[in-house]
Structure formats: structure tokens, C-alpha cells
Amino acid sequence: MSKKRKKTKKKSGIKKKLTPGRGLMYVLLIFAAFIFAAPMFFTVLSSLKTKVEIFQEPFGLPDVVQWGNYAEAWTEANMGVYFINSLIQSFATVTLLALVSSMAAYVLSRFDFKCSKFLLVFFTLGMMVPMHTVLVPTSYMISALSLKNNIPALILIYTAFSLPFSIIVVTSFMKGVNKSLEEAALIDGASYFQIYRHVMLPMTVPALSTISIFNFLSAWNNILFPLLFINDKSLKPVALGLLNFNGERGSDYGPLMAAIVITVALPLIIYLVFQEKVEGGLAAGAVKE
């Protein structure tokens, strides 16, 4: 028995050999990583340079680090105001979507009624509708209701377009939750809302984390709806502010690069921190009871 254990230990400690195919795959992955990282590296580096240095030495280090580019972009170009606006809009959208989609998913996954399958198909079809096909009726409704330059209206639009995806993901996850937990709660006298609040919501945190990150990125990067419905400079989000920055101060390349870094930094950090939860939530939704 001792010899067999030694053999198994040796086998488990054996490393995979570097075959030509595996080596080629590593080379291609490193090359792809360099291609994707190079533009961001250039942007960060350029945000710390003067305009002359950006053109003379694109990938060279700055002689003197120009931290003033960030101060100029944040204050003079109003990127600070745009950043706060995007933060409010994105977090409000994420919160509303998590609440509405979890409630709808709980009903669709746990209650069997006549229209349940139809509603699930209806939300699935909602994912197939291109955003651009409903711009005209959406614009007409916003104008008719006098909701231009209205942040709550913009949040509701974001919510409406992200709701089908959120409901499908959370419903798929909730179908995999063990029903014995609900049965035990019902025996203890819990109401359906209490089951949703104290049983289903804690069990659905991975799925809610997944859709929240996707919805945050979608709301943060959306430029089409703010471009159509927001004219007030004090209400513009960061993506639209960056577009205006490029038009008004397009020759100030240092502050422009700093504004790009400000726009991209928060979504990138959030995704890097929570990427395991995103992958875990999507994988867990595929596992059924």
C-alpha cells in the first residue's frame, strides 16, 4: 500500500510537459494580451505627459510627470461632475434592476401559473430587440411626457433595456436552488415575501452580483440615450462628457488622455475585483438541482 501511495504522489506531482502546441498557445495568448494592454498603457503614459512629449516619444517616460492633466480634466473640463452623474445613474440602475429582476425571477421560477412560460419567452424575446429599433418611439414618449434632462427617466430607460437579461439569468439561477429550504420556511410559518427576502435573496447573491456588474458597465458606458435625452451640461454622464471634451478641447491631448483614464478606471477596477463572481454566477446558473 505504501508503494502505491508513493506512486500516486509522484503522479500527482508530475507537471505537464510543454508541447509545441501548448507553447504556441502561450505565445499567442501573450501576444493577444500585449495587443489589448498596449493602448491602455499608451493612454495612461500619455496622460502624464505634455503634448510635445506625446508626439515625440509615444511610449517613452515623461521628463516631468504632469499630474496637472488630471486636475485640469477633473475641474476645468467638468469630468468630476460627469463622473458623479454617471456614478449616481449607474448605481441607481443596478439597485433597481437587482430588486425588480429578483422579484420577477422568484415568481417565474417558483410559481406555476398559466402565463409563466409565456412571460419567460416574452422576456427572452426582449433580449433580441435591437436598441436602435425603438429609438423613435422612445424619443416620442420622452418628448410627450417632457422628460428630457431628467435623470430618473434615464435610469428607467436603462432598466427597461437591461431587464430581460437580468430576469433570465436570475431565473435560471433560482431554478437550481433547493426547494426544501422554502418548504422548511413555509412549515415554520414564513410568508412568501419572507421566503423571498430571507431565503431566496441570500441564495441568489452570485447571480445578482453577475447581473449587477454587467448592468453597471452597460449604464456607465451608455452614450446613445444621454446624447438624445440630456442637454443640460450639469446632468451629463462621463461618457457623454468625454465626447464633448474631445470636441471642445481636442487639441489638449494630455488632459484628454487623463479624462479617458478617469472614464475607464472605475469600470476596469470593478470588473477585475469581481470577475470571479461574474464567472461563478454564470456557471452556477447552469447547474440544476
Side-chain angles (χ1 to χ4, degrees):
M1 291 293 290
S2 59
K3 291 182 179 180
K4 289 182 179 180
R5 287 179 181 176
K6 288 181 181 179
K7 288 181 179 179
T8 53
K9 287 182 180 179
K10 288 181 179 180
K11 287 181 179 180
S12 61
I14 294 175
K15 295 182 179 180
K16 293 183 179 179
K17 293 182 179 179
L18 184 63
T19 61
R22 189 180 298 274
L24 178 62
M25 181 183 69
Y26 288 153
V27 171
L28 292 175
L29 289 174
I30 293 172
F31 180 69
F34 175 78
I35 290 176
F36 285 109
M40 194 61 202
F41 176 74
F42 170 77
T43 304
V44 174
L45 203 59
S46 299
S47 68
L48 302 173
K49 296 180 180 180
T50 62
K51 181 179 178 180
V52 176
E53 289 176 330
I54 292 173
F55 285 96
Q56 286 184 349
E57 298 180 1
F59 287 96
L61 295 176
D63 295 333
V64 179
V65 177
Q66 303 293 323
W67 295 110
N69 289 337
Y70 285 90
E72 183 177 346
W74 187 263
T75 57
E76 295 183 20
N78 288 329
M79 289 303 293
V81 175
Y82 302 149
F83 186 90
I84 299 300
N85 290 338
S86 284
L87 210 60
I88 295 171
Q89 295 170 22
S90 300
F91 277 108
T93 302
V94 166
T95 304
L96 186 58
L97 277 167
L99 180 63
V100 175
S101 62
S102 61
M103 286 183 171
Y106 176 58
V107 174
L108 291 173
S109 62
R110 287 314 201 222
F111 297 93
D112 189 15
F113 53 97
K114 289 183 179 180
C115 297
S116 60
K117 292 183 179 179
F118 169 77
L119 288 175
L120 197 58
V121 173
F122 178 76
F123 285 120
T124 305
L125 291 175
M127 296 174 61
M128 303 177 187
V129 178
M131 185 184 300
H132 303 83
T133 60
V134 294
L135 285 180
V136 174
T138 305
S139 300
Y140 177 79
M141 292 173 62
I142 293 295
S143 299
L145 297 173
S146 301
L147 291 177
K148 280 195 172 183
N149 295 317
N150 190 295
I151 296 301
L154 193 62
I155 292 170
L156 289 177
I157 292 173
Y158 290 157
T159 303
F161 279 93
S162 300
L163 193 59
F165 167 76
S166 303
I167 289 177
I168 295 301
V169 172
V170 181
T171 301
S172 176
F173 188 92
M174 281 190 178
K175 285 182 177 179
V177 177
N178 199 323
K179 291 185 178 181
S180 61
L181 298 173
E182 297 172 71
E183 293 171 356
L186 284 171
I187 293 172
D188 291 338
S191 64
Y192 286 115
F193 181 77
Q194 289 174 327
I195 293 173
Y196 160 77
R197 172 66 180 85
H198 298 287
V199 178
M200 297 305 294
L201 274 184
M203 294 292 293
T204 321
V205 167
L208 292 177
S209 301
T210 300
I211 64 168
S212 295
I213 292 169
F214 279 109
N215 292 332
F216 179 87
L217 295 176
S218 176
W220 183 272
N221 295 322
N222 196 300
I223 193 174
L224 183 59
F225 290 124
L227 187 63
L228 292 174
F229 307 134
I230 302 295
N231 298 323
D232 190 345
K233 284 188 175 182
S234 63
L235 299 177
K236 289 182 179 179
V238 69
L240 190 56
L242 182 62
L243 182 65
N244 293 338
F245 185 99
N246 190 20
E248 297 172 1
R249 308 166 64 92
S251 60
D252 297 336
Y253 292 104
L256 176 60
M257 295 298 178
I260 294 173
V261 174
I262 292 171
T263 304
V264 175
L266 182 61
L268 183 62
I269 292 171
I270 288 177
Y271 184 78
L272 291 176
V273 171
F274 295 103
Q275 63 175 344
E276 291 184 2
K277 291 190 176 182
V278 173
E279 297 169 359
L282 291 174
V287 179
K288 291 189 176 181
E289 180 184 349

